[in-house]
Amino acid sequence: MAEPGTDEEEFVFTDEHRALRTAVRRFCGAHRVRGPVELDGGYDARVWRRLSSELGVLGLAVPEPSGGGGGTLIDQAIAVEELGAALAAGPVVGTVLLAIPLLAAAPPHPARDQLLARLCSGEATAATVLTGSPGGLESTPVDAIVAPDEDGWTLSAALGAVPDAGAADVLLVAVPTPEGTAVVAIDTDQPGVERTPLVTLDLTRPQARVRLTDVFAHTIVEPPHADAAARSALHTAGMLLAAEQVGAGQHLLDLTVDHARTRRQFGRQIGSFQAVKHRLADMLVAVEHARSTAYHAAWALATGSDDPALAVSIAQATCSPALSRVAADTIQLHGGIGFTWEHQAHLYFKRAAADAALLGTTEAHRDRVARVALDLASADGAPPIADGLPHAAVRP
């Protein structure tokens, strides 16, 4: 892949990319970012704000005039990959993966500009619902009763399991209006907002059931633009989730290799056994394959060099099973300690299982890839394949 903005055929990480990766990794190593689940909301809000004030990673791909870091989606992917490696808790899905890309893709508007700046600075957090079904791949409005209000809308709805809803300051929801789908913002501190925490497999990524009863909502993205902004946000979220899975997989691989080098059985390091070598090699191949698809998706979204839906689905169809396999092998290769509550391996295993259903299952993404490829196929030729050079999306 080529570096964005160049005509070179190969993508390479620059010195700036490596410096960013190092900075985020050092920050995560120096602060407790992994699952302080006993805290209200499941994360440390002070650390969350420092991620923005010291590193600016929350809105890294947002232009500086809008309160972001002025970077690219590849920069954002690198930062999220390191958050995934550290198994960082906090509203990553609701705020970084969905809300900020959604608002960044929407037309400028005073309410949108103000909220985007607050999210990028860490002053506020958001939970985002853009589809009517959990894990939906396409933007569809939720089933809601929407009535016009003097300054906005009165909204009633029952939302299922919403990531990060328990601690969010704002809910962003795609709702049906007479003019079409709109995205509205709901302050969660008003009467009529009921949030019920759910027991989740991944303790570092809490979810809550949300019931809205005659709450006030104001439009944050108007109907003519809401569908396109929501679709763009879902694509970006799928790519960033893939990058996060790559980070978690790489961390587990490093952890397991180190264990194989130091753990001894029958007078030998366990890494010297052929069966262990083969398993580690398979883990390496899975992580590298996942990384290629995740950063191809990031590059495709940043440059328009490939169909975003196709590139993101390829990444999700690859990264979810890769992390699940690496997490399972990590537990196995760590022996008995890998099963214990005290060891970190089980936390990554649960994150892998939860991520695999968060933005579409592996099977759903494989179906999507097949559908796109078959739809584009013709009787006299194969469907177009991205050649790695910036050009218009191949999908009409």
Side-chain angles (χ1 to χ4, degrees):
M1 295 186 291
E3 186 177 350
T6 75
D7 293 330
E8 298 177 9
E9 294 185 0
E10 295 295 333
F11 170 84
V12 294
F13 289 112
T14 64
D15 291 339
E16 288 76 13
H17 291 152
R18 285 185 280 273
L20 171 64
R21 183 184 300 281
T22 300
V24 179
R25 183 174 298 176
R26 285 178 177 171
F27 181 91
C28 292
H31 300 82
R32 188 185 181 190
V33 299
R34 179 188 301 157
V37 292
E38 70 275 10
L39 297 178
D40 184 28
Y43 73 103
D44 190 329
R46 294 170 300 178
V47 173
W48 181 259
R49 286 191 290 271
R50 291 180 67 179
L51 279 170
S52 175
S53 60
E54 296 181 17
L55 298 177
V57 300
L58 302 184
L60 202 52
V62 176
E64 291 182 356
S66 297
T72 69
L73 285 176
I74 294 176
D75 299 329
Q76 188 69 73
I78 292 171
V80 170
E81 180 186 339
E82 291 304 314
L83 295 180
L87 207 67
V92 175
V93 173
T95 302
V96 178
L97 269 60
L98 283 168
I100 290 176
L102 169 70
L103 297 177
H109 182 276
R112 168 264 191 191
D113 298 345
Q114 184 182 28
L115 179 57
L116 180 57
R118 292 179 63 207
L119 295 179
C120 290
S121 67
E123 296 177 13
T125 62
T128 310
V129 184
L130 300 179
T131 65
S133 60
L137 301 178
E138 304 294 340
S139 172
T140 55
V142 303
D143 186 10
I145 300 175
V146 183
D149 188 85
E150 182 177 354
D151 299 316
W153 305 93
T154 298
L155 178 68
S156 295
L159 308 177
V162 181
D164 305 322
D169 300 303
V170 180
L171 287 174
L172 299 180
V173 186
V175 298
T177 71
E179 291 77 27
T181 301
V183 177
V184 299
I186 302 159
D187 293 333
T188 57
D189 59 356
Q190 61 177 305
V193 177
E194 179 183 352
R195 294 176 285 180
T196 304
L198 299 175
V199 177
T200 56
L201 177 65
D202 180 6
L203 300 178
T204 66
R205 183 161 281 170
Q207 301 183 14
R209 183 182 296 112
V210 181
R211 179 174 292 279
L212 307 172
T213 306
D214 296 331
V215 300
F216 173 74
H218 64 272
T219 302
I220 202 79
V221 186
E222 300 284 351
H225 311 288
D227 283 330
R231 192 181 311 115
S232 174
L234 287 171
H235 289 158
T236 301
M239 176 275 291
L240 292 176
L241 180 63
E244 187 189 69
Q245 291 168 316
V246 170
Q250 183 65 60
H251 173 78
L252 292 176
L253 175 60
D254 295 341
L255 198 71
T256 309
V257 168
D258 184 64
H259 181 72
R261 284 174 173 162
T262 55
R263 176 66 174 167
R264 298 178 69 85
Q265 285 287 322
F266 309 111
R268 299 169 55 186
Q269 297 165 321
I270 64 172
S272 64
F273 297 117
Q274 197 71 3
V276 175
K277 290 180 181 178
H278 284 172
R279 211 152 183 176
L280 290 172
D282 289 342
M283 292 170 67
L284 172 63
V285 171
V287 171
E288 288 302 317
H289 192 189
R291 177 176 284 108
S292 296
T293 61
Y295 279 95
H296 172 73
W299 186 70
L301 266 63
T303 64
S305 60
D306 199 356
D307 184 327
L310 182 60
V312 169
S313 281
I314 290 174
Q316 274 296 294
T318 305
C319 294
S320 289
L323 178 56
S324 295
R325 174 176 182 171
V326 169
D329 283 351
T330 297
I331 290 178
Q332 291 293 325
L333 290 176
H334 275 77
I337 192 174
F339 289 89
T340 62
W341 178 261
E342 289 75 14
H343 197 271
Q344 59 184 277
H346 75 99
L347 293 175
Y348 286 85
F349 182 82
K350 294 169 182 172
R351 171 67 68 87
D355 281 356
L358 189 62
L359 294 174
T361 64
T362 298
E363 292 75 17
H365 283 289
R366 285 173 178 167
D367 285 345
R368 197 183 194 191
V369 171
R371 186 170 64 253
V372 171
L374 292 174
D375 287 347
L376 293 175
S378 61
D380 57 352
I385 298 175
D387 57 11
L389 295 175
H391 54 72
V394 296
R395 187 183 185 185

